Amino acid sequence: MGHALNAGQQRAVDSGNRPLLIIAGAGTGKTQTLAHRVASLIDRGADPRRVLLLTFSRRAAMEMIRRVTRLADARAKPGATARPDAGARMGGVARLDWAGTFHSMANRLLRIHADALDLNPAFTLLDREDSADLIDRVRNDLGLSRTDRRFPRKGTCLAVYSRVVNTQSPLRDCLEGAFPWCLEWEEPLRQLFAAYVEAKATRSVLDYDDLLLYWFHAMGDDALAARIGALFDHVLVDEYQDTNTLQAEILRRLKPDGSGVTVVGDDAQAIYGFRAANVGNILEFPRLFDPPAEVVVLEQNYRSTGAILDATNAVIALSPTNARHAKDLFSERRGGTKPRLVTVADEAAQVDYVVEHVLERREDGVPLRQQAVLFRTAHHSDALEVELGRRNIPFVKFGGLRFLEAAHVKDALACLRWAENPRDALAAFRVAQLLPGVGPRLADALWRHVANEGFALTDALGRWNPPPPAREDWPALVMLYGHLCTVAAALPGVSWAPQMGLVRRWYQPHLERIYDDARVRLGDLEQLEQLATASPSRERFLSDLTLDPPQATGAQAGPPHLDEDYLILSTIHSAKGQEWDTVFLLSVADGCLPSDLATGSAAEIEEERRLLYVAMTRAKTDLTLVHPLRFFIRQQSRYGDRHVFVPRTRFIPDAILDRFDRVTPGTGNTESAGPPPSVPRVDVAGRLRAMWTRPAV
């Protein structure tokens, strides 16, 4: 965003060291404001090495570093005398040593202070799938997979554990609020989680949630909290509305007096309650410190037209005043067409309308990639996807298999993880079972052998007697770990990156034996080699991939996109932070938005209202909300034409309909607010009464 700072942004940038809350409405230049504030702090004498910038994605952190660097360079005066800390102020990304996600910063701090936390500094990180596998292993060891009644599956168990950790709520409260069907298993789950914690400690591994949990408990010790807090003069947090209870408490303990703390966010875009995000953090922040935080509200929107903002303001204004920070977005892009509220007969008519108008907008000069179709839940686009395919309209749908969930990627990374941490049993099991003739029983026996050998991995592998099918391949495995463990340790100054190539060359014959599409999968391993060259160490490489993995995988690679243009399909959650010229929102009906699964409490309903607000504020010029009157019940197809009628979403009541143009396709009717046209009246009721009136004799 290239505009000069407006008055609100400038006030936020120039604020002093007292705690500061920047309420940044949708499209109001949040990133620019935060970058200017960091650059201004440095310009005023702050040491960038003592600035902690916490974001919710690695990409956001890198973008912030790029902007701050550019701004700092622009502010530097030619011929000025170099300051003593000039080395920290020049040299690109070195300006901000501590910028990244909460989890990546926790990973660094825990390794630095591992001794004080009784942690092995060489701990490895489990991704979600590995964590679920370990909890499943513990579940089996405790006999919980063989109960008379169905015990929760591993994914559910991990979700319960994660929610308890991140909300810091008692297990029973968590079960009652989010997993009521698991209440009967409260005590077995408690036993399972205790055993899971012990299993992680034995293996020197941490899961994703442990990073925050360990940081939180580290900050509970006064001496250690003071030591960590003293590393930073300024702490800035982006997307503060998405923080959970642990993250908010970590921030409070980092800077108990609030000095140097800046948080940026928008309570109206708090839509991640299902991930334990707590909108109360941003609502209560002004009163968190003494003296109270300064609050700056950014209301000038640089994205949408005035007509779109009039509608979005009206939607969010209906939420209770105690559940939001008041703001009224405005734009210098006055006018524009009102958002359309389109009522159609059913889902099939919804698809026809959207496809027709997507093509119409394309003919008007709006490329497909500047148009998006949003929806509350992924399956809401099923029928649309079929029709787009039938009409040969290219599209990309946000979502899919994450890079680290692809089996061949997990195989290769397990090789490095086991070298990094010989106690990592999950990595050991995975590597061992890549060899022919080695199953779970032998893999477990191998890991126990390594443990008995004091985790001297290379020596232990050399003294293991493999099964006959694996004997031919065994020397290559021993040689691989001789390089990964011994050579790297003996030559610490040598780049570690070639180790990924060693792993690929060892793994390739096994990959070709295990997978039919090995050639496609090898491309992902070559990508891993490229990524390795950018990491300073093996530990950093493994940690960064776990905390912020790429999205693409050869496991789902298909024919290449030959089209120069494609339509965007996305859930509302995935669309946050994005913008398009034209936006269509599907199924704006009660039961879909709000979802009928998210109306159990007032807080859930308010989050659904914010979801609608987020969807609407993605549009720059043209916004259409589609309301199908009728949904067919597919599960009951044997009964024929079963359907239900659904009302328009409760979040657009009659009182704010004047902010929309109402459209009913097929009737030629487009209604703007105002009295309906005058039509002759037909007294049907009178005629019906006359049918039963006995004629006079």
Side-chain angles (χ1 to χ4, degrees):
M1 200 174 295
H3 61 80
L5 296 179
N6 62 42
Q9 292 172 329
Q10 193 66 57
R11 180 182 161 204
V13 167
D14 294 339
S15 179
N17 274 3
R18 64 180 283 193
L20 171 66
L21 169 61
I22 304 172
I23 296 295
T28 57
K30 167 181 69 70
T31 303
Q32 168 160 291
T33 304
L34 189 56
H36 272 270
R37 176 154 177 79
V38 175
S40 175
L41 290 172
I42 295 171
D43 200 41
R44 285 181 262 165
D47 184 343
R49 295 167 298 190
R50 296 179 56 79
V51 173
L52 175 61
L53 175 61
L54 296 167
T55 64
F56 275 80
S57 73
R58 187 180 181 187
R59 184 184 69 174
M62 296 306 294
E63 172 65 13
M64 193 65 63
I65 289 171
R66 185 185 66 78
R67 292 197 187 203
V68 171
T69 300
R70 190 178 68 232
L71 288 168
D73 287 343
R75 292 178 184 213
K77 296 174 181 170
T81 303
R83 299 171 57 159
D85 59 351
R89 296 169 183 278
M90 305 301 292
V93 296
R95 294 177 187 275
L96 291 173
D97 289 341
W98 291 91
T101 65
F102 267 95
H103 291 85
S104 64
M105 295 298 98
N107 179 55
R108 288 180 61 187
L109 287 167
L110 295 184
R111 293 184 193 278
I112 292 171
H113 301 284
D115 288 344
L117 297 168
D118 197 24
L119 261 178
N120 180 348
F123 66 80
T124 49
L125 296 176
L126 302 180
D127 63 21
R128 288 293 185 187
E129 185 179 342
D130 288 331
S131 301
D133 287 345
L134 180 57
I135 215 167
D136 197 36
R137 185 179 179 84
V138 175
R139 176 175 171 267
N140 290 333
D141 290 345
L142 294 177
L144 295 174
S145 59
R146 299 182 296 276
T147 54
D148 293 338
R149 297 182 310 283
R150 181 174 59 90
F151 191 78
R153 296 175 66 87
K154 63 180 182 181
T156 302
C157 293
L158 183 62
V160 174
Y161 174 84
S162 182
R163 192 168 188 90
V164 169
V165 166
N166 286 293
T167 61
Q168 287 294 285
S169 59
L171 174 59
R172 185 166 190 84
D173 291 353
C174 175
L175 293 176
E176 288 177 341
F179 304 92
W181 64 93
C182 299
L183 263 172
E184 63 173 309
W185 300 107
E186 179 184 356
E187 286 310 312
L189 282 170
R190 196 181 304 279
Q191 296 170 24
L192 172 63
F193 298 153
Y196 173 59
V197 169
E198 188 61 36
K200 288 184 292 183
T202 300
R203 293 160 172 80
S204 293
V205 296
L206 299 185
D207 64 23
Y208 195 69
D209 297 317
D210 286 332
L211 291 171
L212 292 185
L213 195 59
Y214 268 78
W215 191 4
F216 168 78
H217 284 294
M219 302 306 291
D221 178 87
D222 291 342
L224 189 53
R227 217 159 92 203
I228 295 174
L231 293 172
F232 311 111
D233 296 324
H234 297 275
V235 181
L236 302 98
V237 185
D238 194 12
E239 303 286 10
Y240 191 68
Q241 77 279 352
D242 295 333
T243 54
N244 60 35
T245 301
L246 274 180
Q247 291 162 327
E249 188 60 20
I250 287 168
L251 178 65
R252 189 186 68 79
R253 294 181 182 184
L254 267 173
K255 293 294 175 187
D257 63 354
S259 176
V261 174
T262 298
V263 301
V264 184
D266 182 8
D267 54 285
Q269 297 184 70
I271 59 174
Y272 293 111
F274 66 96
R275 294 182 187 168
N278 182 1
V279 68
N281 291 342
I282 195 168
L283 295 177
E284 297 160 11
F285 184 85
R287 298 176 294 280
L288 189 61
F289 302 104
D290 186 18
E294 179 183 2
V295 180
V296 176
V297 181
L298 306 183
E299 297 178 300
Q300 183 170 353
N301 177 285
Y302 294 92
R303 174 187 301 155
S304 306
T305 63
I308 290 175
L309 293 179
D310 287 345
T312 57
N313 286 334
V315 166
I316 203 65
L318 295 174
S319 61
T321 55
N322 64 350
R324 59 187 172 91
H325 288 285
K327 69 182 86 60
D328 193 29
L329 300 184
F330 67 93
S331 171
E332 292 184 349
R333 296 182 63 197
R334 297 309 306 166
T337 59
K338 292 181 181 180
R340 284 176 295 280
L341 181 58
V342 180
T343 303
V344 295
D346 53 30
E347 292 171 280
Q350 172 175 249
V351 167
D352 289 342
Y353 181 88
V354 169
V355 171
E356 176 186 337
H357 285 79
V358 163
L359 294 176
E360 183 180 291
R361 291 290 291 165
R362 182 173 177 271
E363 290 302 311
D364 290 341
V366 181
L368 291 178
R369 63 182 176 275
Q370 278 299 316
Q371 302 186 56
V373 182
L374 308 183
F375 30 87
R376 171 63 177 85
T377 305
H379 69 80
H380 287 173
S381 69
D382 289 350
L384 176 62
E385 292 174 49
V386 171
E387 183 63 13
L388 291 172
R390 191 181 71 80
R391 298 203 192 189
N392 200 29
I393 300 173
F395 67 90
V396 172
K397 185 175 181 180
F398 280 68
L401 187 67
R402 287 166 65 92
F403 189 77
L404 288 186
E405 292 170 357
H408 58 291
V409 175
K410 292 181 71 69
D411 291 344
L413 293 179
C415 295
L416 290 180
R417 282 176 46 202
W418 198 17
E420 184 70 17
N421 177 13
R423 297 174 183 270
D424 189 340
L426 288 174
F429 295 153
R430 191 166 197 110
V431 173
Q433 291 180 80
L434 294 175
L435 296 166
V438 180
R441 184 181 60 81
L442 282 176
D444 186 62
L446 172 61
W447 185 76
R448 294 183 189 281
H449 167 73
V450 172
N452 291 335
E453 295 279 338
F455 296 102
L457 188 51
T458 306
D459 293 340
L461 291 175
R463 287 194 283 267
W464 173 255
N465 183 28
R471 282 176 187 163
E472 183 179 345
D473 296 299
W474 197 259
L477 179 68
V478 176
M479 185 179 298
L480 172 69
Y481 278 93
H483 284 87
L484 296 183
C485 298
T486 309
V487 176
L491 301 171
V494 175
S495 171
W496 79 275
Q499 293 181 30
M500 192 65 243
L502 292 175
V503 169
R504 179 184 59 78
R505 288 190 288 276
W506 173 83
Y507 178 48
Q508 183 167 344
H510 302 290
L511 179 75
E512 292 170 347
R513 172 174 51 83
I514 297 169
Y515 300 107
D516 293 332
D517 54 348
R519 184 183 62 80
V520 174
R521 295 174 185 262
L522 276 172
D524 285 333
L525 303 188
E526 291 167 359
Q527 182 186 356
L528 281 178
E529 287 187 71
Q530 291 296 317
L531 292 171
T533 62
S535 285
S537 69
R538 186 171 63 192
E539 176 276 314
R540 181 70 69 86
F541 174 70
L542 293 170
S543 297
D544 286 350
L545 276 180
T546 303
L547 295 172
D548 189 30
Q551 294 296 320
T553 73
Q556 289 207 335
H561 283 292
L562 300 180
D563 298 276
E564 81 288 356
D565 204 7
Y566 46 82
L567 180 67
I568 303 297
L569 308 186
S570 176
T571 63
I572 301 172
H573 287 99
S574 295
K576 187 171 177 289
Q578 306 296 318
E579 60 181 40
W580 296 275
D581 180 90
T582 298
V583 170
F584 298 88
L585 181 57
L586 300 183
S587 303
V588 186
D590 246 65
C592 296
L593 193 63
S595 166
D596 54 8
L597 298 177
T599 54
S601 68
E604 287 180 317
I605 291 172
E606 287 310 310
E607 180 156 320
E608 293 290 300
R609 188 195 310 275
R610 296 193 292 268
L611 264 175
L612 175 59
Y613 174 83
V614 166
M616 293 174 65
T617 53
R618 300 311 93 196
K620 294 195 286 187
T621 304
D622 194 80
L623 174 62
T624 300
L625 292 73
V626 190
H627 168 214
L629 287 171
R630 181 169 58 173
F631 286 82
F632 287 91
I633 307 173
R634 295 180 180 85
Q635 295 90 334
Q636 305 291 338
S637 58
R638 65 182 181 276
Y639 294 122
D641 185 25
R642 285 181 59 100
H643 59 268
V644 293
F645 284 102
V646 289
R648 180 180 71 241
T649 176
R650 69 188 72 180
F651 303 137
I652 305 179
D654 292 348
I656 64 171
L657 280 178
D658 60 337
R659 271 67 165 201
F660 299 84
D661 282 335
R662 300 178 65 188
V663 179
T664 308
T667 64
N669 181 27
T670 300
E671 294 182 38
S672 287
S678 177
V679 294
R681 292 189 175 184
V682 179
D683 187 5
V684 176
R687 295 181 185 182
L688 293 178
R689 284 192 294 271
M691 288 174 59
W692 305 101
T693 303
R694 185 182 298 275
V697 177

